Amino acid sequence: MSAALEAIALTKRYRTTPALTECSLRIPTGHVVALVGPNGAGKTTLLHLAMGFLNPTAGHIKVFGWSPQAQPTIVLPRVGFLAQDRPLYRRFKVRDLLEFGRRLNPRWDSELARLRLERLAIPLHRPVGKLSGGQEAQVALALTLAKKPDMLLLDEPLSNLDPLARREFMQVLMDAVAEEGLTVVLSSHIIADLERTCDYLVILAQGQVQLAGEIEGLLDSHRTLVGGPSDRALLERDTSVIHSSHTPRQTTMLVKLNGRPVAGQWEEHHVGLEELVLAYLSRPSGDSSAQPEPVEPARLQ
Amino acid sequence: MIWVTWAQHRREALVSGIILTVAAALLVITGLIMLADFQSSGAASCAPAAGPAVGVFNAGTSCEPVVGAFFSRWLTLTGAASLALMTLPLLLGVFIAAPLLSREFEQRTYLFAWSQSITSLRWAVVKLGLLGAAVLTSAAALTVLVMWWHSPLDRAFYDGP
């Protein structure tokens, strides 16, 4: 089974500014993926590469095993994309946008989109520019879903929405996922929005994947340790320290377990998603010591 | 994609269409009046159907004041029309055509278009092709009309049809 999205040593530079640097990633089908990272981490670049809007500088990107650059007519009908700020032709009536989609997509399901919008009481005859922000977002989502994609790529879909609109957007999205078994990749820098809905996490920073995996497994394999000044060398034998903060009396560390019990006088806590993401994002740049690779023996003394 | 381009740009097409229709109507009306004057003033009979320009070769004959008077009656209008026809495409370009494309990029709606199942190449080719064809067709029609409109003056003063 080929991955829904796969990047192999993917590099993208804009003139001289690197956006992605030898980025490798494999997202299996059927997940709802949170793609998180700070602004400028390369999230949008990765999604645009996956849609074939951009060409990689080096490396490869594959969507369901196909190249979006070389086989756009195979990839595009299978992937629904919602760009940042959810751009729509604002002068078009909702109904005209449905017609727009019908004419440009082979797998289009107008009826489904119409039903979804009617259920949300969105008037089809109104120009999109005259809808509320939340309604506009729902129209954008309905159009993306009407394409009947196998995968949805949503770039900051919740930006500039009020909390109620966010919740309704996620509600409709998750209903669709449940009905149709889509793979979804959602980029965001607000982790709270993703916590309830996503089951897979990809952390992107400085143009590279810092961490990727099923959220449950990731939360299981990380711990927060709180203790006094202690034998850090011993700790580094048993775990990888992702992030640490010190006060004169106390040390707090977020560590990745390496399958051994943690030695020393540490108070162990489970980690939350937000905590985990922040720990990886606040790692000093270029420090890849916590990549999910085995710890090198050289580091043991 | 053809419907899509039309749906997206029909407002601009209508505005441009109205402006061009008004310009064409003005040309037809003044052109007919000028043609009538050309015939009735006798300037037409001084001009050979084809051949050397009358104004130059009629020097000293009775035709010279007739053609001269015809020319001076229409001098202001032709001057104004030339200026208007030179600036019209510029104004249409600046106020209608340029926003048409820049808005697509400013509002990032090209990303919405590219998110459908057509390739960005086809999107660009059809869109620019249709818009370009519309511009060329209307420009050609306007040119033919202006040539007809100006023909009495051409026949009175210059070589040519």
Side-chain angles (χ1 to χ4, degrees):
Chain A
M1 184 73 197
S2 60
L5 184 65
E6 187 170 22
I8 305 143
L10 185 65
T11 298
K12 177 66 190 177
R13 272 190 298 273
Y14 299 108
R15 293 178 196 276
T16 54
T17 318
L20 291 174
T21 310
E22 305 232 333
C23 173
S24 290
L25 174 66
R26 189 184 154 88
I27 296 174
T29 55
H31 285 290
V32 179
V33 182
L35 176 62
V36 301
N39 291 324
K43 302 189 296 285
T44 298
T45 299
L46 178 65
L47 296 178
H48 283 200
L49 282 163
M51 287 298 286
F53 299 167
L54 298 170
N55 290 321
T57 308
H60 301 278
I61 185 155
K62 291 266 153 66
V63 173
F64 296 116
W66 290 293
S67 158
Q69 283 76 25
Q71 295 148 304
T73 50
I74 302 175
V75 171
L76 284 172
R78 287 173 170 77
V79 186
F81 181 69
L82 189 50
Q84 205 165 359
D85 303 322
R86 308 173 297 273
L88 291 174
Y89 294 119
R90 299 172 59 84
R91 298 196 315 205
F92 274 49
K93 290 172 182 158
V94 177
R95 183 193 296 134
D96 292 340
L97 281 177
L98 290 176
E99 179 65 11
F100 183 99
R102 189 185 69 76
R103 286 174 182 263
L104 295 182
N105 296 286
R107 297 161 39 155
W108 191 257
D109 190 341
S110 276
E111 215 35 57
L112 191 68
R114 210 180 296 270
L115 278 174
R116 282 214 170 93
L117 293 173
E118 268 165 16
R119 213 178 303 153
L120 294 160
I122 292 173
L124 297 182
H125 60 271
R126 190 165 300 172
V128 171
K130 297 216 166 96
L131 298 174
S132 73
Q135 287 180 321
E136 217 184 300
Q138 290 289 359
V139 170
L141 178 60
L143 289 168
T144 312
L145 289 170
K147 209 177 163 186
K148 303 249 60 165
D150 298 329
M151 174 161 67
L152 280 183
L153 303 177
L154 311 175
D155 195 358
E156 303 267 359
L158 302 172
S159 63
N160 305 319
L161 290 181
D162 63 59
L164 184 65
R166 281 166 188 253
R167 201 171 67 192
E168 282 175 354
F169 186 98
M170 290 310 280
Q171 189 76 55
V172 172
L173 176 65
M174 294 324 289
D175 286 351
V177 168
E179 278 165 36
E180 296 166 37
L182 296 165
T183 304
V184 180
V185 179
L186 251 161
S187 89
S188 183
H189 52 250
I190 305 162
I191 296 128
D193 288 333
L194 310 170
E195 194 143 25
R196 276 180 308 244
T197 44
C198 297
D199 61 1
Y200 201 96
L201 177 69
V202 175
I203 300 179
L204 199 62
Q206 288 126 23
Q208 286 188 316
V209 173
Q210 307 293 323
L211 181 69
E214 291 187 38
I215 290 176
E216 210 170 305
L218 292 175
L219 294 182
D220 265 358
S221 63
H222 289 77
R223 289 287 185 278
T224 301
L225 304 178
V226 182
S230 182
D231 189 0
R232 180 160 172 153
L234 195 63
L235 186 68
E236 288 194 343
R237 189 196 69 194
D238 296 335
T239 67
S240 308
V241 177
I242 309 302
H243 181 254
S244 58
S245 63
H246 307 275
T247 64
R249 308 172 65 185
Q250 183 173 293
T251 296
T252 308
M253 295 190 179
L254 195 142
V255 300
K256 182 179 187 300
L257 305 176
N258 291 328
R260 293 183 229 207
V262 179
Q265 300 295 308
W266 295 95
E267 199 183 307
E268 232 179 291
H269 296 283
H270 286 272
V271 296
L273 183 61
E274 184 147 15
E275 209 182 334
L276 180 71
V277 170
L278 288 176
Y280 272 89
L281 291 183
S282 55
R283 275 200 303 176
S285 90
D287 174 13
S288 59
S289 62
Q291 286 281 5
E293 269 104 47
V295 180
E296 305 90 328
R299 284 178 51 216
L300 289 181
Q301 64 271 4
Chain B
M1 188 62 210
I2 292 171
W3 176 87
V4 165
T5 308
W6 164 246
Q8 201 188 341
H9 301 303
R10 58 191 154 199
R11 191 178 298 187
E12 287 84 2
L14 283 178
V15 172
S16 315
I18 289 168
I19 291 172
L20 289 173
T21 310
V22 169
L26 287 174
L27 283 174
V28 168
I29 293 165
T30 55
L32 288 173
I33 298 172
M34 186 170 22
L35 196 61
D37 183 32
F38 186 56
Q39 304 288 351
S40 62
S41 67
S45 49
C46 289
V54 207
V56 179
F57 290 93
N58 279 329
T61 70
S62 62
C63 271
E64 193 189 10
V66 175
V67 173
F70 172 74
F71 181 71
S72 57
R73 271 198 298 283
W74 293 97
L75 185 65
T76 320
L77 184 68
T78 48
S82 315
L83 195 66
L85 290 169
M86 271 192 284
T87 47
L88 185 65
L90 186 72
L91 293 176
L92 284 178
V94 170
F95 290 105
I96 295 181
L100 190 115
L101 291 179
S102 67
R103 196 176 44 232
E104 182 101 45
F105 286 94
E106 222 172 80
Q107 300 184 349
R108 298 160 53 85
T109 46
Y110 68 100
L111 288 175
F112 172 66
W114 291 5
S115 309
Q116 313 307 314
S117 301
I118 53 156
T119 64
S120 49
L121 181 68
R122 202 174 131 219
W123 172 83
V125 166
V126 175
K127 190 182 171 84
L128 295 178
L130 285 176
L131 294 178
V135 169
L136 282 180
T137 313
S138 33
L142 196 62
T143 305
V144 169
L145 189 63
V146 169
M147 280 167 68
W148 166 83
W149 180 81
H150 206 266
S151 61
L153 292 155
D154 292 338
R155 284 174 61 199
F157 272 89
Y158 312 105
D159 283 319

